[in-house]
Amino acid sequence: MKDSSAALETTDYTKTMWKQCLEIIKANVPPITYNTWFIPIKPIDYSNDVLKIQVPNNYFIEWIDEHYNTLINKVISQVLGENGKLVYVIVEEKDNLFEAHEIIEVVKKQPEAQISAVSDIDSHINPRYKFENFIKGEGNQLARAASIAISDNPGETSFNPFFIYGGVGLGKTHLIQAVGNKILEKHSSKKVIYLSSEHFTVEFVDAIQSNTVNEFSSYYKNMDVLIIDDIQFLIGKEKTQDLFFHIFNTLHQSGKQIILSSDKPPKDLKGLSERLVSRFQWGLTADIQPPDFETRIAILNNKSKSFGIALEPEIIEYIALNIKSNIRELEGCLIKLLASASLNSKEIDLALTKKTVKEISTNKQTIVSIENITKVVCNHFSVDENKVREKNRKKEVVIARQIAMFLSKKLTTSSLKTIGLHFGGRDHSTVIHAFNSVDTLLSNDTYMRETVDSLRNKIELGAA
Ligand code: ADP
Ligand code: MG
């Protein structure tokens, strides 16, 4: 084991450089963010335009990158200059907690010009998502096994396309990127690309505007592995679907691997063209279910270890018993615990854990789906769910449909167009009309207002 304390000695010059960076950061972020995420960072070294800073763990890099990418780039060019580079260093604990260190360097930012000059394609794959840190559980067994098989032989298994679906925060993005990481590790020459369907759409729209649709299309047709996350966002985007259809065919015919994720199975992707839905079912479809208690414990143990903290079993158990639906929240809870403990120099004890869990549960943004809204509303009015999607003009069907549309607009971020698609492909003006009718009804009719309020509560509780 090597002692890295010498490597971590900091000169005044390095400190000054980092201080200049901090000044810009401080002026641009809220105090709580600054204290939680930037104060714990320590400058290590500055030489040859490269500033090395030490962060407590990978999550800091992730978090900062996700929320403050633009700011950091600005800081780099202002303080470190055009050729400046910021390198994050993570000091990992070894067998003996915090005694011996191993330094992992993560080169975080390079000026844009350098990136395009050096690399051919940017995979957009996050190196954090690996199979090694993906905990196996009953809920993800098939999806995980298939992902591993694919990463061993991309394009050569019958799992093509490979379609993973499941609720939010259950590990879809992690798994499909783990496939990408593994393939790149084994065959660095393979052209692997990951992007969300929204990102894909935005690029497509740009390509239309700049008259480069052909280039755009051949770029993706040229990939060995195409990974598209959250494919449900292609709903209602016919032109993008068309183009994606052609890319899909070209890749599939030439034995290239296609990996997709979605919040629901292909057949439930209402508003996606049938030819796409049928192709999505050609290969393997696997779901991911929420983790059971044992898996949650294993995930918490594993994550706290990667944070370099050892938590008492009773604390792990308390979190696992109280946060059930989603792995992102388990992780969020640990990060929050870590942040408040380090901020107040407090021990992580059961009291702090209880408080944190409670805060997470009350701040929780509820995630509701149009399907769930429809189900709850139809149940209440004893209307068959299919009827609200058909052209049925019976009074109770119309009212259930309009209230479901109204609540979909209120409780989800879906566009009018998407909502219309979920209700039998109705047009967005129908959704506006429904919204206005219900809105008027609610302001004139106390009974209806109470009914809709209680439906709303039910939906939000069901989603929580
Ligand atoms: P989704 O894409 O399904 O919404 P993500 O893949 O983003 O979910 O997962 C949410 C968070 O939970 C990520 O940080 C991911 O690393 C973590 N995670 C999910 N499943 C697992 C697992 N089985 N083991 C370890 N971490 C997991
Ligand atoms: Mg995801």
Side-chain angles (χ1 to χ4, degrees):
M1 280 192 239
K2 74 182 173 205
D3 176 12
S4 60
S5 56
L8 298 182
E9 218 163 80
T10 313
T11 65
D12 283 347
Y13 189 42
T14 307
K15 283 184 193 151
T16 313
M17 289 309 278
W18 179 235
K19 214 170 136 209
Q20 282 182 33
C21 296
L22 280 181
E23 269 162 24
I24 303 182
I25 295 170
K26 193 172 183 180
N28 284 286
V29 306
I32 174 80
T33 307
Y34 181 73
N35 290 333
T36 311
W37 299 99
F38 293 99
I39 287 289
I41 297 178
K42 296 193 192 92
I44 301 174
D45 177 54
Y46 176 69
S47 51
N48 303 327
D49 294 332
V50 178
L51 177 61
K52 288 189 183 173
I53 54 174
Q54 181 191 333
V55 293
N57 57 57
N58 232 323
Y59 287 84
F60 275 73
I61 304 181
E62 285 264 302
W63 194 90
I64 293 170
D65 205 33
E66 193 175 325
H67 299 87
Y68 289 102
N69 192 357
T70 321
L71 176 63
I72 295 296
N73 281 331
K74 186 173 130 191
V75 168
I76 293 175
S77 65
Q78 281 190 10
V79 179
L80 308 178
E82 280 317 306
N83 298 319
K85 232 197 256 181
L86 191 63
V87 173
Y88 293 111
V89 175
I90 301 163
V91 177
E92 262 200 336
E93 96 281 15
K94 274 287 177 194
D95 314 342
N96 266 338
L97 278 185
F98 305 118
E99 278 187 5
H101 303 291
E102 185 168 309
I103 297 176
I104 302 174
E105 287 190 6
V106 185
V107 178
K108 215 38 212 175
K109 287 286 161 258
Q110 294 180 334
E112 291 291 326
Q114 267 192 20
I115 290 179
S116 50
V118 177
S119 73
D120 35 3
I121 50 167
D122 179 1
S123 290
H124 309 298
I125 289 192
N126 184 331
R128 178 167 90 77
Y129 295 127
K130 300 264 186 184
F131 286 120
E132 289 79 7
N133 59 6
F134 187 83
I135 306 289
K136 179 174 149 187
E138 217 168 28
N140 61 39
Q141 214 162 9
L142 173 65
R144 177 179 167 276
S147 301
I148 293 174
I150 289 166
S151 57
D152 287 336
N153 293 301
E156 287 164 23
T157 63
S158 54
F159 310 153
N160 201 14
F162 177 41
F163 191 102
I164 295 192
Y165 71 91
V168 200
L170 296 183
K172 301 183 296 294
T173 299
H174 188 138
L175 257 188
I176 59 182
Q177 292 209 31
V179 178
N181 266 314
K182 189 85 190 181
I183 294 173
L184 285 173
E185 248 170 52
K186 290 171 80 172
H187 324 265
S188 55
S189 61
K190 286 243 191 263
K191 293 193 273 299
V192 178
I193 195 155
Y194 162 92
L195 74 174
S196 71
S197 71
E198 284 160 309
H199 185 168
F200 183 82
T201 307
V202 169
E203 284 203 351
F204 176 48
V205 172
D206 278 354
I208 295 178
Q209 277 163 5
S210 58
N211 240 327
T212 52
V213 174
N214 285 340
E215 287 85 341
F216 173 80
S217 162
S218 36
Y219 181 73
Y220 288 99
K221 285 178 178 169
N222 192 28
M223 292 296 151
D224 295 307
V225 181
L226 174 65
I227 308 173
I228 307 244
D229 209 350
D230 293 319
I231 199 86
Q232 72 271 14
F233 293 122
L234 286 191
I235 285 179
K237 294 165 186 154
E238 283 86 11
K239 270 196 167 165
T240 317
Q241 287 182 34
D242 270 353
L243 182 89
F244 181 65
F245 175 78
H246 294 294
I247 295 173
F248 184 104
N249 286 340
T250 306
L251 291 174
H252 197 270
Q253 277 156 18
S254 43
K256 302 300 172 61
Q257 182 71 47
I258 299 159
I259 301 173
L260 307 165
S261 89
S262 158
D263 62 347
K264 43 180 109 53
K267 65 173 175 36
D268 292 345
L269 288 170
K270 305 269 180 301
L272 206 65
S273 77
E274 279 188 24
R275 55 184 192 173
L276 272 181
V277 171
S278 93
R279 271 164 181 75
F280 290 172
Q281 293 165 324
W282 277 356
L284 177 73
T285 301
D287 68 335
I288 300 197
Q289 293 293 329
D292 53 27
F293 179 68
E294 289 73 19
T295 312
R296 297 200 295 278
I297 296 267
I299 289 172
L300 285 165
N301 276 323
N302 187 278
K303 302 255 169 215
S304 51
K305 218 173 122 201
S306 77
F307 283 137
I309 46 173
L311 292 177
E312 295 295 330
E314 62 166 2
I315 289 178
I316 298 271
E317 209 159 283
Y318 185 84
I319 303 175
L321 279 171
N322 288 282
I323 298 185
K324 296 180 184 160
S325 56
N326 151 350
I327 297 163
R328 187 170 297 135
E329 261 169 32
L330 284 178
E331 219 169 64
C333 183
L334 278 181
I335 294 179
K336 208 162 174 196
L337 263 180
L338 180 85
S340 49
S342 63
L343 210 60
N344 310 313
S345 320
K346 261 199 192 153
E347 287 276 312
I348 299 183
D349 57 12
L350 198 58
L352 183 63
T353 310
K354 283 187 177 166
K355 188 169 158 256
T356 309
V357 167
K358 196 165 163 210
E359 278 167 15
I360 288 191
S361 319
T362 41
N363 288 342
K364 179 144 93 182
Q365 264 191 333
T366 49
I367 298 146
V368 294
S369 66
I370 299 179
E371 281 76 27
N372 197 36
I373 293 172
T374 312
K375 189 189 272 164
V376 174
V377 173
C378 287
N379 238 333
H380 177 84
F381 291 101
S382 307
V383 165
D384 178 351
E385 272 180 61
N386 290 323
K387 293 251 162 33
V388 301
R389 299 193 186 102
E390 292 160 6
K391 281 202 173 59
N392 189 311
R393 303 216 44 86
K394 267 195 176 159
K395 192 160 176 266
E396 70 272 18
V397 177
V398 173
I399 191 81
R401 179 187 302 128
Q402 290 194 334
I403 289 178
M405 284 179 169
F406 174 85
L407 288 174
S408 300
K409 184 74 199 110
K410 283 260 178 200
L411 305 180
T412 75
T413 52
S414 302
S415 66
L416 295 168
K417 188 163 180 186
T418 307
I419 296 173
L421 284 167
H422 276 83
F423 292 91
R426 287 176 159 81
D427 154 317
H428 82 283
S429 61
T430 313
V431 184
I432 296 180
H433 175 73
F435 187 90
N436 292 337
S437 313
V438 175
D439 211 26
T440 315
L441 184 66
L442 297 191
S443 49
N444 298 326
D445 184 334
T446 323
Y447 175 72
M448 272 316 278
R449 192 161 62 232
E450 280 169 10
T451 308
V452 172
D453 274 348
S454 89
L455 285 171
R456 184 179 174 149
N457 278 337
K458 209 167 178 172
I459 291 160
E460 288 186 327
L461 277 177

Short mmCIF file of all heavy atoms in Angstrom, two decimals, residues 59 62 128-131 133-137 140 144 164-176 194 229-230 261-262 288 291 295 298-299 302-303 326-331, ligand 1:
data_model
loop_
_atom_site.label_atom_id
_atom_site.label_comp_id
_atom_site.label_asym_id
_atom_site.label_seq_id
_atom_site.Cartn_x
_atom_site.Cartn_y
_atom_site.Cartn_z
N TYR A 59 -19.89 10.53 -6.86
CA TYR A 59 -21.18 11.20 -6.93
C TYR A 59 -21.02 12.71 -7.04
O TYR A 59 -21.84 13.39 -7.63
CB TYR A 59 -22.05 10.84 -5.74
CG TYR A 59 -22.55 9.45 -5.86
CD1 TYR A 59 -21.77 8.38 -5.44
CD2 TYR A 59 -23.77 9.18 -6.47
CE1 TYR A 59 -22.20 7.09 -5.60
CE2 TYR A 59 -24.20 7.90 -6.63
CZ TYR A 59 -23.42 6.84 -6.19
OH TYR A 59 -23.84 5.58 -6.37
N GLU A 62 -20.40 13.35 -10.69
CA GLU A 62 -21.68 13.17 -11.37
C GLU A 62 -22.59 14.37 -11.17
O GLU A 62 -23.16 14.91 -12.10
CB GLU A 62 -22.42 12.00 -10.71
CG GLU A 62 -21.88 10.69 -11.07
CD GLU A 62 -22.69 10.14 -12.18
OE1 GLU A 62 -23.90 10.01 -12.00
OE2 GLU A 62 -22.10 9.89 -13.24
N ARG A 128 -19.37 5.41 -14.83
CA ARG A 128 -19.83 4.93 -13.53
C ARG A 128 -20.75 3.71 -13.64
O ARG A 128 -20.84 2.92 -12.71
CB ARG A 128 -20.57 6.07 -12.81
CG ARG A 128 -21.12 5.68 -11.47
CD ARG A 128 -21.54 6.91 -10.69
NE ARG A 128 -22.91 7.32 -10.90
CZ ARG A 128 -23.96 6.71 -10.32
NH1 ARG A 128 -23.79 5.66 -9.57
NH2 ARG A 128 -25.17 7.15 -10.53
N TYR A 129 -21.45 3.61 -14.75
CA TYR A 129 -22.43 2.52 -14.88
C TYR A 129 -21.76 1.23 -15.35
O TYR A 129 -21.47 1.06 -16.53
CB TYR A 129 -23.54 2.92 -15.84
CG TYR A 129 -24.39 4.06 -15.36
CD1 TYR A 129 -24.60 5.18 -16.15
CD2 TYR A 129 -24.98 4.02 -14.10
CE1 TYR A 129 -25.38 6.24 -15.70
CE2 TYR A 129 -25.76 5.07 -13.65
CZ TYR A 129 -25.96 6.17 -14.45
OH TYR A 129 -26.73 7.21 -14.01
N LYS A 130 -21.52 0.34 -14.39
CA LYS A 130 -20.82 -0.91 -14.70
C LYS A 130 -21.66 -2.08 -14.23
O LYS A 130 -22.50 -1.93 -13.35
CB LYS A 130 -19.50 -0.96 -13.90
CG LYS A 130 -18.57 0.15 -14.19
CD LYS A 130 -17.58 -0.30 -15.21
CE LYS A 130 -16.54 0.79 -15.38
NZ LYS A 130 -15.58 0.58 -16.35
N PHE A 131 -21.35 -3.26 -14.74
CA PHE A 131 -22.00 -4.46 -14.19
C PHE A 131 -21.51 -4.72 -12.77
O PHE A 131 -22.23 -5.20 -11.92
CB PHE A 131 -21.69 -5.69 -15.05
CG PHE A 131 -22.43 -5.67 -16.35
CD1 PHE A 131 -21.75 -5.69 -17.56
CD2 PHE A 131 -23.81 -5.64 -16.37
CE1 PHE A 131 -22.43 -5.67 -18.76
CE2 PHE A 131 -24.52 -5.63 -17.57
CZ PHE A 131 -23.82 -5.64 -18.76
N ASN A 133 -20.91 -2.77 -10.37
CA ASN A 133 -21.62 -2.09 -9.29
C ASN A 133 -23.14 -2.12 -9.48
O ASN A 133 -23.87 -1.30 -8.95
CB ASN A 133 -21.10 -0.66 -9.07
CG ASN A 133 -21.23 0.19 -10.32
OD1 ASN A 133 -21.81 -0.23 -11.31
ND2 ASN A 133 -20.70 1.39 -10.27
N PHE A 134 -23.58 -3.06 -10.27
CA PHE A 134 -25.03 -3.25 -10.45
C PHE A 134 -25.43 -4.48 -9.63
O PHE A 134 -24.98 -5.59 -9.92
CB PHE A 134 -25.36 -3.45 -11.92
CG PHE A 134 -26.84 -3.49 -12.19
CD1 PHE A 134 -27.56 -2.31 -12.33
CD2 PHE A 134 -27.52 -4.70 -12.28
CE1 PHE A 134 -28.93 -2.33 -12.56
CE2 PHE A 134 -28.90 -4.73 -12.51
CZ PHE A 134 -29.59 -3.54 -12.66
N ILE A 135 -26.21 -4.27 -8.60
CA ILE A 135 -26.56 -5.38 -7.72
C ILE A 135 -27.66 -6.23 -8.33
O ILE A 135 -28.68 -5.73 -8.80
CB ILE A 135 -27.04 -4.84 -6.34
CG1 ILE A 135 -26.01 -3.90 -5.73
CG2 ILE A 135 -27.37 -5.99 -5.40
CD1 ILE A 135 -24.75 -4.55 -5.25
N LYS A 136 -27.39 -7.53 -8.29
CA LYS A 136 -28.33 -8.47 -8.87
C LYS A 136 -29.47 -8.73 -7.88
O LYS A 136 -29.23 -8.86 -6.68
CB LYS A 136 -27.54 -9.75 -9.11
CG LYS A 136 -28.28 -10.90 -9.69
CD LYS A 136 -27.24 -11.97 -9.96
CE LYS A 136 -27.83 -13.35 -9.83
NZ LYS A 136 -26.82 -14.41 -9.93
N GLY A 137 -30.67 -8.77 -8.38
CA GLY A 137 -31.80 -9.08 -7.51
C GLY A 137 -32.87 -9.77 -8.33
O GLY A 137 -32.75 -9.87 -9.55
N ASN A 140 -34.36 -7.81 -11.31
CA ASN A 140 -33.62 -7.43 -12.52
C ASN A 140 -32.84 -8.59 -13.15
O ASN A 140 -31.99 -8.39 -14.00
CB ASN A 140 -32.66 -6.28 -12.20
CG ASN A 140 -31.62 -6.63 -11.15
OD1 ASN A 140 -31.07 -7.74 -11.13
ND2 ASN A 140 -31.32 -5.69 -10.27
N ARG A 144 -30.58 -8.28 -16.44
CA ARG A 144 -29.13 -8.24 -16.20
C ARG A 144 -28.43 -9.35 -16.97
O ARG A 144 -27.41 -9.12 -17.64
CB ARG A 144 -28.86 -8.37 -14.70
CG ARG A 144 -27.39 -8.40 -14.34
CD ARG A 144 -27.19 -8.49 -12.84
NE ARG A 144 -25.82 -8.82 -12.50
CZ ARG A 144 -25.34 -10.05 -12.46
NH1 ARG A 144 -26.12 -11.08 -12.74
NH2 ARG A 144 -24.07 -10.27 -12.17
N ILE A 164 -35.55 -3.14 -22.72
CA ILE A 164 -35.74 -3.19 -21.28
C ILE A 164 -36.82 -2.21 -20.89
O ILE A 164 -36.81 -1.07 -21.35
CB ILE A 164 -34.47 -2.74 -20.52
CG1 ILE A 164 -33.33 -3.70 -20.76
CG2 ILE A 164 -34.74 -2.64 -19.03
CD1 ILE A 164 -32.16 -3.46 -19.82
N TYR A 165 -37.76 -2.64 -20.07
CA TYR A 165 -38.72 -1.65 -19.58
C TYR A 165 -38.94 -1.79 -18.08
O TYR A 165 -38.67 -2.84 -17.48
CB TYR A 165 -40.04 -1.75 -20.34
CG TYR A 165 -40.86 -2.98 -20.03
CD1 TYR A 165 -41.82 -2.97 -19.01
CD2 TYR A 165 -40.67 -4.15 -20.74
CE1 TYR A 165 -42.57 -4.11 -18.73
CE2 TYR A 165 -41.41 -5.29 -20.46
CZ TYR A 165 -42.35 -5.26 -19.45
OH TYR A 165 -43.08 -6.38 -19.15
N GLY A 166 -39.41 -0.71 -17.47
CA GLY A 166 -39.67 -0.71 -16.03
C GLY A 166 -39.82 0.70 -15.52
O GLY A 166 -39.57 1.67 -16.26
N GLY A 167 -40.23 0.83 -14.26
CA GLY A 167 -40.51 2.14 -13.66
C GLY A 167 -39.26 2.99 -13.48
O GLY A 167 -38.14 2.57 -13.77
N VAL A 168 -39.48 4.17 -12.98
CA VAL A 168 -38.39 5.15 -12.80
C VAL A 168 -37.42 4.71 -11.72
O VAL A 168 -37.83 4.18 -10.68
CB VAL A 168 -38.94 6.51 -12.29
CG1 VAL A 168 -37.96 7.62 -12.57
CG2 VAL A 168 -40.29 6.79 -12.83
N GLY A 169 -36.16 4.95 -11.95
CA GLY A 169 -35.13 4.74 -10.92
C GLY A 169 -34.86 3.29 -10.59
O GLY A 169 -34.35 2.97 -9.53
N LEU A 170 -35.17 2.38 -11.52
CA LEU A 170 -34.97 0.96 -11.21
C LEU A 170 -33.70 0.39 -11.86
O LEU A 170 -33.40 -0.78 -11.68
CB LEU A 170 -36.19 0.14 -11.66
CG LEU A 170 -37.50 0.48 -10.92
CD1 LEU A 170 -38.62 -0.43 -11.40
CD2 LEU A 170 -37.33 0.34 -9.41
N GLY A 171 -33.00 1.21 -12.61
CA GLY A 171 -31.71 0.74 -13.12
C GLY A 171 -31.66 0.50 -14.62
O GLY A 171 -30.70 -0.12 -15.10
N LYS A 172 -32.62 1.00 -15.37
CA LYS A 172 -32.59 0.77 -16.82
C LYS A 172 -31.38 1.46 -17.45
O LYS A 172 -30.61 0.85 -18.20
CB LYS A 172 -33.88 1.31 -17.49
CG LYS A 172 -35.14 0.68 -16.97
CD LYS A 172 -36.36 1.19 -17.70
CE LYS A 172 -36.62 2.67 -17.51
NZ LYS A 172 -36.98 3.06 -16.12
N THR A 173 -31.23 2.73 -17.12
CA THR A 173 -30.12 3.48 -17.70
C THR A 173 -28.78 2.87 -17.28
O THR A 173 -27.87 2.72 -18.09
CB THR A 173 -30.21 4.97 -17.26
OG1 THR A 173 -31.44 5.50 -17.76
CG2 THR A 173 -29.06 5.78 -17.81
N HIS A 174 -28.70 2.49 -16.02
CA HIS A 174 -27.47 1.87 -15.52
C HIS A 174 -27.13 0.62 -16.35
O HIS A 174 -26.02 0.48 -16.86
CB HIS A 174 -27.67 1.52 -14.04
CG HIS A 174 -26.41 1.05 -13.36
ND1 HIS A 174 -26.06 1.45 -12.09
CD2 HIS A 174 -25.43 0.21 -13.75
CE1 HIS A 174 -24.92 0.88 -11.75
NE2 HIS A 174 -24.51 0.11 -12.75
N LEU A 175 -28.11 -0.26 -16.50
CA LEU A 175 -27.85 -1.52 -17.21
C LEU A 175 -27.45 -1.30 -18.67
O LEU A 175 -26.47 -1.88 -19.14
CB LEU A 175 -29.10 -2.39 -17.19
CG LEU A 175 -29.11 -3.56 -16.23
CD1 LEU A 175 -30.33 -4.43 -16.48
CD2 LEU A 175 -27.84 -4.40 -16.32
N ILE A 176 -28.22 -0.48 -19.37
CA ILE A 176 -27.92 -0.36 -20.80
C ILE A 176 -26.58 0.37 -21.03
O ILE A 176 -25.87 0.07 -21.98
CB ILE A 176 -29.06 0.30 -21.61
CG1 ILE A 176 -29.40 1.69 -21.12
CG2 ILE A 176 -30.31 -0.56 -21.59
CD1 ILE A 176 -30.56 2.34 -21.88
N TYR A 194 -24.68 6.00 -27.00
CA TYR A 194 -25.82 6.01 -26.09
C TYR A 194 -26.46 7.38 -26.17
O TYR A 194 -25.76 8.39 -26.11
CB TYR A 194 -25.37 5.74 -24.65
CG TYR A 194 -26.40 6.16 -23.62
CD1 TYR A 194 -27.34 5.27 -23.16
CD2 TYR A 194 -26.44 7.48 -23.14
CE1 TYR A 194 -28.32 5.66 -22.24
CE2 TYR A 194 -27.41 7.88 -22.23
CZ TYR A 194 -28.34 6.96 -21.79
OH TYR A 194 -29.30 7.37 -20.89
N ASP A 229 -32.21 5.40 -24.88
CA ASP A 229 -32.87 5.36 -23.57
C ASP A 229 -34.24 6.05 -23.67
O ASP A 229 -34.40 7.00 -24.44
CB ASP A 229 -31.98 6.12 -22.57
CG ASP A 229 -32.13 5.61 -21.14
OD1 ASP A 229 -33.04 4.80 -20.89
OD2 ASP A 229 -31.32 6.03 -20.28
N ASP A 230 -35.17 5.59 -22.86
CA ASP A 230 -36.48 6.24 -22.74
C ASP A 230 -37.15 6.48 -24.09
O ASP A 230 -37.54 7.60 -24.43
CB ASP A 230 -36.34 7.58 -21.98
CG ASP A 230 -35.96 7.34 -20.52
OD1 ASP A 230 -36.51 6.41 -19.91
OD2 ASP A 230 -35.11 8.08 -20.00
N SER A 261 -34.63 1.28 -24.09
CA SER A 261 -35.31 1.19 -22.80
C SER A 261 -36.59 2.01 -22.87
O SER A 261 -36.71 2.90 -23.72
CB SER A 261 -34.44 1.74 -21.68
OG SER A 261 -34.69 3.13 -21.54
N SER A 262 -37.51 1.68 -21.99
CA SER A 262 -38.78 2.40 -21.98
C SER A 262 -39.43 2.22 -20.63
O SER A 262 -39.06 1.35 -19.85
CB SER A 262 -39.66 1.82 -23.09
OG SER A 262 -41.03 2.09 -22.84
N ILE A 288 -37.84 -4.76 -15.58
CA ILE A 288 -37.15 -4.60 -14.29
C ILE A 288 -38.23 -4.24 -13.27
O ILE A 288 -39.02 -3.33 -13.49
CB ILE A 288 -36.10 -3.48 -14.32
CG1 ILE A 288 -35.04 -3.77 -15.36
CG2 ILE A 288 -35.45 -3.34 -12.96
CD1 ILE A 288 -33.77 -2.94 -15.18
N PRO A 291 -36.88 -3.36 -6.39
CA PRO A 291 -36.04 -4.29 -5.62
C PRO A 291 -36.75 -4.78 -4.34
O PRO A 291 -37.46 -4.01 -3.70
CB PRO A 291 -34.85 -3.43 -5.24
CG PRO A 291 -35.35 -2.02 -5.25
CD PRO A 291 -36.40 -1.98 -6.31
N THR A 295 -32.48 -7.06 -1.63
CA THR A 295 -31.74 -6.33 -2.67
C THR A 295 -31.50 -4.89 -2.23
O THR A 295 -30.42 -4.33 -2.45
CB THR A 295 -32.50 -6.37 -4.01
OG1 THR A 295 -32.90 -7.71 -4.26
CG2 THR A 295 -31.65 -5.88 -5.15
N ALA A 298 -28.64 -4.88 0.09
CA ALA A 298 -27.38 -5.09 -0.63
C ALA A 298 -26.96 -3.82 -1.36
O ALA A 298 -25.79 -3.43 -1.35
CB ALA A 298 -27.52 -6.25 -1.62
N ILE A 299 -27.93 -3.15 -1.97
CA ILE A 299 -27.61 -1.92 -2.70
C ILE A 299 -27.09 -0.85 -1.74
O ILE A 299 -26.07 -0.20 -1.98
CB ILE A 299 -28.84 -1.40 -3.48
CG1 ILE A 299 -29.13 -2.33 -4.66
CG2 ILE A 299 -28.63 0.03 -3.97
CD1 ILE A 299 -30.41 -2.06 -5.40
N ASN A 302 -23.59 -1.66 -0.56
CA ASN A 302 -22.64 -1.43 -1.62
C ASN A 302 -22.39 0.05 -1.85
O ASN A 302 -21.24 0.49 -1.97
CB ASN A 302 -23.22 -2.09 -2.87
CG ASN A 302 -22.27 -2.07 -4.02
OD1 ASN A 302 -22.17 -1.05 -4.70
ND2 ASN A 302 -21.55 -3.15 -4.21
N LYS A 303 -23.45 0.84 -1.88
CA LYS A 303 -23.29 2.29 -2.13
C LYS A 303 -22.56 2.96 -0.97
O LYS A 303 -21.72 3.82 -1.19
CB LYS A 303 -24.63 2.98 -2.29
CG LYS A 303 -25.47 2.42 -3.39
CD LYS A 303 -25.51 3.31 -4.61
CE LYS A 303 -26.13 2.54 -5.72
NZ LYS A 303 -25.83 2.60 -7.02
N ASN A 326 -37.81 2.72 -5.22
CA ASN A 326 -36.94 3.15 -6.30
C ASN A 326 -35.50 3.32 -5.82
O ASN A 326 -35.24 3.82 -4.73
CB ASN A 326 -37.66 4.37 -6.81
CG ASN A 326 -36.89 5.46 -7.44
OD1 ASN A 326 -35.67 5.50 -7.42
ND2 ASN A 326 -37.62 6.37 -7.99
N ILE A 327 -34.58 2.86 -6.65
CA ILE A 327 -33.18 2.82 -6.23
C ILE A 327 -32.55 4.20 -6.24
O ILE A 327 -31.69 4.52 -5.43
CB ILE A 327 -32.41 1.84 -7.13
CG1 ILE A 327 -32.99 0.44 -6.90
CG2 ILE A 327 -30.92 1.84 -6.84
CD1 ILE A 327 -32.67 -0.56 -7.93
N ARG A 328 -33.04 5.05 -7.12
CA ARG A 328 -32.51 6.41 -7.14
C ARG A 328 -32.76 7.08 -5.80
O ARG A 328 -31.94 7.84 -5.30
CB ARG A 328 -33.15 7.21 -8.28
CG ARG A 328 -32.52 8.58 -8.44
CD ARG A 328 -32.97 9.27 -9.68
NE ARG A 328 -32.57 8.56 -10.87
CZ ARG A 328 -33.37 8.33 -11.90
NH1 ARG A 328 -34.60 8.73 -11.87
NH2 ARG A 328 -32.92 7.68 -12.95
N GLU A 329 -33.90 6.77 -5.18
CA GLU A 329 -34.20 7.37 -3.89
C GLU A 329 -33.34 6.81 -2.76
O GLU A 329 -32.96 7.52 -1.84
CB GLU A 329 -35.66 7.14 -3.54
CG GLU A 329 -36.48 8.34 -3.86
CD GLU A 329 -37.94 8.06 -3.77
OE1 GLU A 329 -38.34 7.22 -2.94
OE2 GLU A 329 -38.69 8.66 -4.54
N LEU A 330 -33.04 5.52 -2.85
CA LEU A 330 -32.15 4.93 -1.85
C LEU A 330 -30.83 5.68 -1.89
O LEU A 330 -30.27 6.06 -0.85
CB LEU A 330 -31.88 3.46 -2.18
CG LEU A 330 -32.97 2.43 -1.90
CD1 LEU A 330 -32.49 1.06 -2.34
CD2 LEU A 330 -33.33 2.40 -0.42
N GLU A 331 -30.36 5.87 -3.11
CA GLU A 331 -29.11 6.56 -3.31
C GLU A 331 -29.18 8.01 -2.84
O GLU A 331 -28.28 8.50 -2.16
CB GLU A 331 -28.84 6.55 -4.81
CG GLU A 331 -27.46 6.33 -5.20
CD GLU A 331 -27.42 6.09 -6.69
OE1 GLU A 331 -27.78 7.01 -7.46
OE2 GLU A 331 -27.07 4.97 -7.08
P1 ADP B 1 -33.86 4.26 -14.58
O1 ADP B 1 -33.09 4.52 -15.82
O2 ADP B 1 -34.57 2.95 -14.60
O3 ADP B 1 -34.78 5.38 -14.20
P2 ADP B 1 -31.27 4.41 -13.34
O4 ADP B 1 -30.53 3.43 -14.16
O5 ADP B 1 -31.03 5.83 -13.62
O6 ADP B 1 -32.83 4.12 -13.39
O7 ADP B 1 -30.98 4.08 -11.82
C1 ADP B 1 -31.15 5.02 -10.78
C2 ADP B 1 -29.97 4.97 -9.84
O8 ADP B 1 -29.98 3.74 -9.14
C3 ADP B 1 -28.64 5.02 -10.58
O9 ADP B 1 -27.75 5.80 -9.86
C4 ADP B 1 -28.17 3.58 -10.62
O10 ADP B 1 -26.77 3.48 -10.60
C5 ADP B 1 -28.78 3.01 -9.37
N1 ADP B 1 -29.15 1.60 -9.52
C6 ADP B 1 -30.24 1.12 -10.13
N2 ADP B 1 -30.29 -0.22 -10.07
C7 ADP B 1 -29.20 -0.60 -9.38
C8 ADP B 1 -28.70 -1.87 -8.95
N3 ADP B 1 -29.34 -3.01 -9.22
N4 ADP B 1 -27.54 -1.88 -8.25
C9 ADP B 1 -26.91 -0.73 -7.97
N5 ADP B 1 -27.33 0.49 -8.32
C10 ADP B 1 -28.47 0.57 -9.01
#
